[in-house]
């Protein structure tokens, strides 16, 4: 697939249907394997990639710098740069392209490894995000303990195979979308860290400030119900519904839209700007709702008595993350209530100091909100591209798989119009 590869029509007629198993039979250099460590061992061992750390198209292991020479030696199931790491357990189908950062790392059994020609791997990473691919994997999920798909399911799964130049264009578009979103996310996070730092300066360097219990400066209400109890949401009106897991690991407290909605119920819906708080053993997790929202169990809605105090209150709560978690109950400190939070003691400067702080950090929060909105726009563009790919692919059925015969080895002149060295012929019905 060098420079001499002919350009091909990007219409659906130019996209033959393939599978990893079929391409492997034709002699393509493909390698698929599962990791070999169980997740319990993997997540307690430095330098191992498990399904927990494959998220949002990246490998997000917090132990990146902990690889040691005495770790598990490299095997066929060790990751190489350019591999596709696919989640097989819990979030089946999530995938990440392996970079040099994680090359050589062993994988857990919850990870499937696909090693193939770079553009094929890039395309599979994109295809697995499409609605068609997700629905196909859902058909084969087993759930004896946790939702799981087998490596054989991935090898049998049909996918369209655009010409290499088309894949290159798609890969560049998706890469730029994610890189731009990552820059926006980092900028938003640093902006809020600056606001946190300014709060700490004011709280620590001024004259001895007074203190107030949280119940004296804010209204608090515990959430109720669970995701499983949510009724179907009508077209309108609806409110966002916030579960504890929606608050974990947010890069910034501003959220464009939450994943769940439900009918708006009087007395259970809180206005935009309400703080939604949950806890975990690592501390408190807080979001500022941008729409009317309803908290579920183990989420507490917190709203300042005076809206002018909103940013001071938010940064006070963020600064007391560990102390708030200590007030929670249950395994991993996940059960928090308004009653437990009421007695939390806050540093509370005079009105003029709080007003000055608000004027300073308001532009920082406005910047973070704008960046979060831009990220949402980029992700909407990504989703539109994925829907477009699904539409171009059409309906993929086992009986409609095209038989693929090897016309010429890759890299040899005289490739067919697909650009993959494949001659396609539809299987007779």
């Amino acid at each position: 697939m060098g420079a001499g590869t002919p350009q091909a029509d990007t219409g659906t007629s130019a996209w033959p249907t393939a599978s990893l198993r079929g391409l492997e039979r034709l002699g393509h250099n493909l390698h698929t394997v599962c990791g070999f460590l169980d997740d319990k061992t993997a997540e307690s061992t430095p330098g191992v990639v498990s399904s927990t750390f494959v998220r949002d198209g990246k490998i997000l292991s917090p132990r990146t710098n902990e690889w040691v020479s005495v770790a598990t030696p490299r095997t066929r199931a060790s990751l190489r740069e350019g591999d596709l790491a696919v989640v097989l357990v819990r979030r089946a189908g999530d995938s990440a392209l392996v970079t040099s950062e994680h090359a050589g790392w062993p994988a857990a059994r919850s990870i499937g490894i696909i090693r193939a020609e770079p553009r094929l791997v890039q395309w599979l990473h994109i295809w697995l995000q499409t609605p068609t691919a997700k629905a196909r994997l859902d058909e084969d999920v087993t759930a004896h303990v946790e939702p799981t798909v087998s490596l054989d399911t991935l090898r049998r799964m049909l996918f369209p195979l655009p010409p290499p130049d088309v894949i290159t264009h798609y890969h560049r578009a998706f890469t730029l979308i994610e890189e731009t979103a990552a820059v926006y996310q980092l900028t938003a996070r640093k902006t809020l860290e600056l606001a946190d730092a300014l709060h700490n300066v004011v709280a620590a360097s001024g004259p001895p400030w007074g203190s107030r219990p949280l119940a004296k400066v804010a209204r608090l209400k515990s959430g109720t119900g669970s995701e499983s109890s949510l009724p179907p949401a009508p077209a309108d009106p609806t409110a966002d519904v916030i579960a504890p897991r929606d608050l974990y690991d947010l890069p910034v407290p501003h959220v464009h839209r939450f994943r769940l909605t439900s009918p708006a119920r009087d007395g259970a819906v809180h206005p935009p700007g309400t703080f939604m708080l949950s806890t975990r053993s690592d501390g408190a997790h807080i979001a500022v709702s941008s729409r009317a929202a309803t908290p579920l169990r183990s989420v507490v809605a917190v709203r300042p008595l005076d809206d002018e105090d909103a940013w001071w209150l938010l940064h006070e709560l963020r600064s007391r993350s560990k102390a708030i978690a200590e007030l929670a109950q249950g395994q991993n400190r996940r059960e928090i209530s308004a009653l437990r939070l009421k007695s939390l003691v806050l540093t509370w400067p005079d009105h003029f100091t709080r007003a000055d702080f608000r004027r300073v950090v308001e532009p920082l929060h406005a910047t973070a909100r704008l960046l979060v909105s831009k990220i949402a726009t980029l992700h909407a563009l990504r989703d539109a591209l994925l829907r477009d790919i699904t539409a171009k692919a059409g309906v993929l059925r086992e009986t409609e798989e095209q038989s693929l015969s090897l016309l010429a080895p890759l890299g040899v002149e005289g490739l067919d119009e697909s650009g993959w060295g494949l001659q396609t012929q539809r299987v007779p019905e």
Side-chain angles (χ1 to χ4, degrees):
M1 287 183 290
T5 300
Q7 294 279 329
D9 181 8
T10 60
T12 54
S13 61
W15 292 16
T17 299
S19 69
L20 290 176
R21 182 175 61 181
L23 292 173
E24 195 172 25
R25 287 173 179 170
L26 295 174
H28 279 249
N29 187 17
L30 278 167
H31 173 67
T32 56
V33 69
C34 288
F36 59 92
L37 293 173
D38 65 85
D39 269 21
K40 183 176 181 181
T41 301
E43 293 183 16
S44 62
T45 304
V48 177
V49 173
S50 70
S51 60
T52 301
F53 304 126
V54 177
R55 292 180 180 275
D56 302 322
K58 302 180 185 65
I59 297 175
L60 304 174
S61 173
R63 297 186 289 272
T64 300
N65 298 319
E66 294 185 21
W67 174 267
V68 290
S69 60
V70 296
T72 307
R74 298 186 185 190
T75 68
R76 280 168 51 85
S78 296
L79 298 172
R80 296 182 189 174
E81 185 174 1
D83 286 352
L84 186 65
V86 185
V87 174
L88 303 177
V89 180
R90 291 189 291 273
R91 291 171 292 101
D94 282 9
S95 66
L97 293 169
V98 179
T99 65
S100 58
E101 183 179 16
H102 297 97
W105 287 35
R109 283 199 293 265
S110 58
I111 294 292
I113 301 171
I114 299 175
R115 186 170 299 147
E117 195 276 338
R119 272 178 282 200
L120 178 57
V121 172
Q122 292 165 2
W123 178 246
L124 288 171
H125 178 47
I126 294 170
W127 176 250
L128 286 171
Q129 300 174 60
T130 64
T132 298
K134 290 179 179 295
R136 175 64 185 86
L137 291 177
D138 285 345
E139 291 175 2
D140 277 16
V141 164
T142 59
H144 299 298
V145 179
E146 295 178 300
T148 303
V149 296
S150 67
L151 189 62
D152 190 56
T153 293
L154 291 178
R155 296 181 72 251
R156 289 185 290 105
M157 184 181 67
L158 299 179
F159 56 87
L161 192 59
D165 60 309
V166 175
I167 293 175
T168 297
H169 295 320
Y170 271 119
H171 175 65
R172 177 165 173 76
F174 279 94
T175 298
L176 288 173
I177 286 172
E178 292 307 321
E179 287 179 349
T180 304
V183 170
Y184 288 162
Q185 186 176 99
L186 176 62
T187 305
R189 182 165 58 82
K190 292 299 182 183
T191 298
L192 265 296
E193 287 177 5
L194 174 57
D196 284 334
L198 293 173
H199 163 268
N200 293 341
V201 167
V202 175
S205 62
W209 302 119
S211 61
R212 301 273 185 90
L214 180 57
K216 293 292 185 180
V217 297
R219 293 179 287 270
L220 297 88
K221 187 170 184 179
S222 299
T224 59
S226 63
E227 290 187 42
S228 60
S229 66
L230 292 177
D236 187 60
T238 62
D240 284 350
V241 176
I242 302 174
R245 67 188 180 107
D246 296 322
L247 303 178
Y248 299 149
D249 304 319
L250 293 174
V252 295
H254 299 288
V255 178
H256 184 71
R257 182 185 289 269
F258 287 91
R259 63 187 176 90
L260 299 173
T261 60
S262 77
R265 294 176 292 150
D266 292 341
V269 178
H270 299 269
T274 301
F275 305 154
M276 298 293 176
L277 182 150
S278 66
T279 54
R280 204 167 53 177
S281 57
D282 60 347
H285 297 258
I286 307 168
V288 183
S289 63
S290 58
R291 295 165 16 106
T294 301
L296 294 179
R297 186 169 54 246
S298 297
V299 176
V300 179
V302 181
R303 189 167 184 86
L305 296 178
D306 185 345
D307 288 342
E308 296 291 311
D309 294 330
W311 297 140
W312 183 263
L313 176 59
L314 174 64
H315 289 283
E316 270 292 294
L317 293 173
R318 284 166 63 89
S319 72
R320 283 165 167 70
S321 175
K322 292 293 185 183
I324 292 173
E326 289 297 318
L327 296 173
Q329 298 175 310
Q331 186 177 15
N332 296 320
R333 300 284 184 180
R334 296 190 183 218
E335 298 175 19
I336 190 68
S337 66
L339 182 63
R340 301 283 296 179
L341 269 177
K342 283 182 177 181
S343 61
L344 180 71
V345 177
L346 307 176
T347 298
W348 208 253
D350 59 68
H351 171 76
F352 299 105
T353 301
R354 301 196 308 275
D356 285 343
F357 178 77
R358 183 178 189 278
R359 283 190 291 270
V360 170
V361 302
E362 174 60 41
L364 298 177
H365 282 277
T367 298
R369 285 194 299 267
L370 176 61
L371 291 170
V372 167
S373 177
K374 288 178 179 290
I375 292 170
T377 298
L378 287 169
H379 287 171
L381 173 59
R382 176 198 60 195
D383 293 343
L385 285 172
L386 292 170
R387 290 192 299 271
D388 182 62
I389 289 170
T390 289
K392 283 186 169 69
V395 179
L396 304 178
R397 295 192 180 97
E398 296 290 342
T399 57
E400 294 181 353
E401 181 175 8
Q402 294 169 315
S403 64
L404 303 175
S405 59
L406 192 62
L407 180 67
L410 295 179
V412 176
E413 300 221 356
L415 302 183
D416 74 319
E417 65 178 7
S418 76
W420 289 96
L422 301 173
Q423 182 177 354
T424 62
Q425 182 179 7
R426 186 172 296 280
V427 175
E429 297 187 3

